[in-house]
């Protein structure tokens, strides 16, 4: 099944050119099927690229996905046009009464600030709490993963002396996890961050399971089943050239390791993580499909009963 996104969203043209099945809104209405409702709180500066990357992975599943783009209510995006935001995004205050099968929260360019210094921290915390009552399963990426662990568990982040930047080999620590179904024992993941969560802090928190980590760049993927949250600190969703664009944006100040062939930025990088990006998102969507209530209105009520029974 294809993904349902607005007919005029820029990501549509890119995905259709790649051969990705994208459904027109009028066709989706005619199908007698309940699509999975997925919300995307996009905090990344380049929102259009992030929309495209995540829509591509969601569209690769065999289920119909209805994607809603969400923004912080009062935060004004600096790198995306006001017209784009007004046309395609809904403020969280407008969707706070909705219920979603899945909800994705991206990273944000604020990771070197203390969480409490982030201008939208209060609303962000409200959104995290809302996921516990209005969302069946949540996927937090990069800064959002760190912020969720801090909010729910008090897990601190630690600033790195040097940016973790490049493509690093990661070990599959729990191959029986449904989120790692089909993963290799070792797989490459793009990394781009100035902060980290450390193993000792995570192990000190009951109920968290480390699913993948790297000896070079640290923790990668953490499961928090009681909160129905999956935390990904890195970027399997990245395009082939995303790290190259970040390298150029930062004035070529730090070469991304293990990314350019022979570490030569004049050579085109090779995508070594695409298949595992599809696996992760496909596994996450499958877990949602297998466990979400058919009646959307019971999302939250059903999961609250399940949590109380644990």
């Amino acid at each position: 099944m294809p993904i349902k996104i607005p007919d005029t969203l820029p990501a549509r043209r890119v995905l259709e050119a790649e051969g990705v099945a994208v459904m027109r809104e009028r066709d989706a209405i005619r199908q007698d099927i309940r699509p999975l409702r997925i919300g995307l709180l996009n905090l990344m500066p380049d929102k259009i690229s992030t929309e495209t990357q995540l829509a591509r992975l969601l569209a690769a599943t065999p289920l119909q996905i209805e994607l809603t783009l969400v923004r912080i209510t009062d935060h004004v995006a600096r790198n995306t046009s006001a017209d784009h935001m007004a046309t395609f995004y809904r403020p969280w205050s407008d969707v706070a009464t909705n219920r979603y099968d899945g909800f994705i929260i991206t990273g944000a360019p604020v990771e070197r600030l203390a969480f409490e210094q982030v201008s939208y921290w209060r609303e962000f915390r409200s959104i995290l709490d809302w996921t516990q009552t209005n969302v069946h399963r949540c996927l937090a990426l990069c800064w959002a993963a760190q912020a969720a662990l801090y909010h729910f568990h008090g897990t601190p982040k630690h600033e790195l002396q040097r940016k973790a930047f490049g493509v690093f080999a990661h070990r599959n620590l729990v191959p029986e996890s449904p989120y790692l179904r089909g993963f290799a024992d070792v797989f490459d993941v793009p990394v781009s961050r100035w902060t980290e969560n450390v193993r000792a802090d995570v192990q000190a928190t009951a109920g968290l399971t480390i699913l993948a980590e790297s000896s070079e760049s640290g923790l990668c993927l953490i499961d928090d089943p009681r909160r129905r949250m999956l935390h990904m600190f890195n970027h399997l969703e990245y395009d082939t050239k995303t790290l190259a664009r970040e390298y150029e944006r930062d004035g070529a100040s730090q070469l991304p390791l293990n990314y350019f062939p022979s570490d030569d930025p004049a050579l085109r990088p090779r995508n070594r993580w695409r298949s595992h990006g599809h696996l992760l998102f496909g596994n996450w969507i499958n877990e949602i499909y297998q466990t979400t209530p058919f009646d959307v209105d019971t999302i939250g009520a059903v999961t609250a009963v399940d949590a109380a029974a644990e």
Side-chain angles (χ1 to χ4, degrees), residues 272-289:
R272 308 193 304 273
W273 59 89
R274 182 183 295 113
S275 59
H276 285 93
H278 281 280
L279 275 174
L280 179 66
F281 279 78
N283 288 341
W284 182 67
I285 288 293
N286 184 57
E287 282 304 294
I288 292 173
Y289 176 72

Side-chain angles (χ1 to χ4, degrees), residues 237-262:
E237 80 280 5
Y238 269 8
D239 291 327
T240 302
K241 294 185 178 181
T242 302
L243 290 181
R245 290 194 294 269
E246 293 184 5
Y247 172 66
E248 295 167 359
R249 178 200 65 194
D250 296 339
S253 59
Q254 182 179 335
L255 187 73
L257 299 176
N258 312 313
Y259 175 59
F260 295 109
S262 303

Side-chain angles (χ1 to χ4, degrees), residues 46-115:
D46 187 350
K47 298 193 186 302
I48 294 176
S49 292
T50 302
E51 296 157 13
T52 305
Q53 291 166 4
L54 294 172
R56 177 186 295 116
L57 294 170
L58 295 172
T61 67
L63 304 170
Q64 185 186 132
I65 305 293
E66 181 179 284
L67 183 63
T68 300
L69 301 177
V70 182
R71 62 173 175 85
I72 295 290
T73 301
D74 295 321
H75 182 70
V76 178
R78 297 179 181 177
N79 299 286
T80 305
S81 74
D83 285 345
H84 183 88
M85 298 302 295
T87 301
F88 299 113
Y89 280 77
R90 299 181 64 186
W92 177 71
S93 59
D94 283 2
V95 303
T97 58
N98 293 353
R99 298 179 187 274
Y100 293 93
D101 301 290
F103 201 77
I104 301 170
I105 310 176
T106 74
V110 295
E111 60 174 319
R112 301 180 83 174
L113 294 175
F115 292 117

Side-chain angles (χ1 to χ4, degrees), residues 3-275:
I3 188 170
K4 176 190 171 188
I5 55 178
D7 293 343
T8 55
L9 189 72
R12 171 181 286 274
R13 295 191 298 273
V14 176
L15 298 180
E16 288 178 335
E18 295 175 358
V20 176
V22 184
M23 175 170 282
R24 293 177 298 180
E25 293 180 281
R26 65 176 181 270
D27 293 333
I29 293 173
R30 290 203 302 265
Q31 286 198 348
D32 186 18
I33 189 172
R34 176 169 107 62
L36 289 182
R37 296 182 179 179
I38 306 295
L40 169 59
L41 177 62
N42 188 358
L43 304 174
M44 292 289 278
D46 187 350
K47 298 193 186 302
I48 294 176
S49 292
T50 302
E51 296 157 13
T52 305
Q53 291 166 4
L54 294 172
R56 177 186 295 116
L57 294 170
L58 295 172
T61 67
L63 304 170
Q64 185 186 132
I65 305 293
E66 181 179 284
L67 183 63
T68 300
L69 301 177
V70 182
R71 62 173 175 85
I72 295 290
T73 301
D74 295 321
H75 182 70
V76 178
R78 297 179 181 177
N79 299 286
T80 305
S81 74
D83 285 345
H84 183 88
M85 298 302 295
T87 301
F88 299 113
Y89 280 77
R90 299 181 64 186
W92 177 71
S93 59
D94 283 2
V95 303
T97 58
N98 293 353
R99 298 179 187 274
Y100 293 93
D101 301 290
F103 201 77
I104 301 170
I105 310 176
T106 74
V110 295
E111 60 174 319
R112 301 180 83 174
L113 294 175
F115 292 117
E116 293 81 3
Q117 292 178 324
V118 175
S119 61
Y120 47 80
W121 180 242
R122 178 177 296 181
E123 180 166 330
F124 188 82
R125 293 182 65 191
S126 297
I127 293 171
L128 289 175
D129 289 336
W130 166 85
T131 66
Q132 301 302 289
T133 58
N134 287 59
V135 173
H136 183 61
R137 292 189 187 273
C138 185
L139 173 59
L141 305 176
C142 199
W143 176 83
Q146 296 179 338
L149 288 173
Y150 179 73
H151 174 67
F152 287 123
H153 303 288
T155 308
K157 64 178 178 179
H158 302 270
E159 186 158 357
L160 298 167
Q161 292 184 346
R162 181 178 173 85
K163 184 179 182 181
F165 192 39
V167 180
F168 300 102
H170 287 69
R171 298 187 305 280
N172 178 349
L173 301 180
V174 190
E176 66 272 19
S177 167
Y179 298 115
L180 295 178
R181 187 180 294 114
F183 270 64
D185 294 339
V186 177
F187 55 97
D188 290 328
V189 185
V191 179
S192 179
R193 50 181 164 79
W194 282 99
T195 57
E196 68 173 350
N197 289 92
V198 300
R199 170 177 272 273
D201 293 335
V202 172
Q203 288 180 319
T205 303
L208 299 180
T209 301
I210 300 171
L211 301 182
E213 69 176 335
S214 166
S215 59
E216 296 176 274
S217 59
L219 299 180
C220 175
L221 190 64
I222 293 177
D223 188 16
D224 185 356
R226 182 166 181 80
R227 297 286 179 182
R228 304 181 311 284
M229 297 192 78
L230 188 64
H231 304 289
M232 163 55 84
F233 298 125
N234 303 322
H235 294 283
L236 279 172
E237 80 280 5
Y238 269 8
D239 291 327
T240 302
K241 294 185 178 181
T242 302
L243 290 181
R245 290 194 294 269
E246 293 184 5
Y247 172 66
E248 295 167 359
R249 178 200 65 194
D250 296 339
S253 59
Q254 182 179 335
L255 187 73
L257 299 176
N258 312 313
Y259 175 59
F260 295 109
S262 303
D263 287 330
D264 182 353
L267 300 178
R268 178 184 173 85
R270 296 175 180 175
N271 192 313
R272 308 193 304 273
W273 59 89
R274 182 183 295 113
S275 59

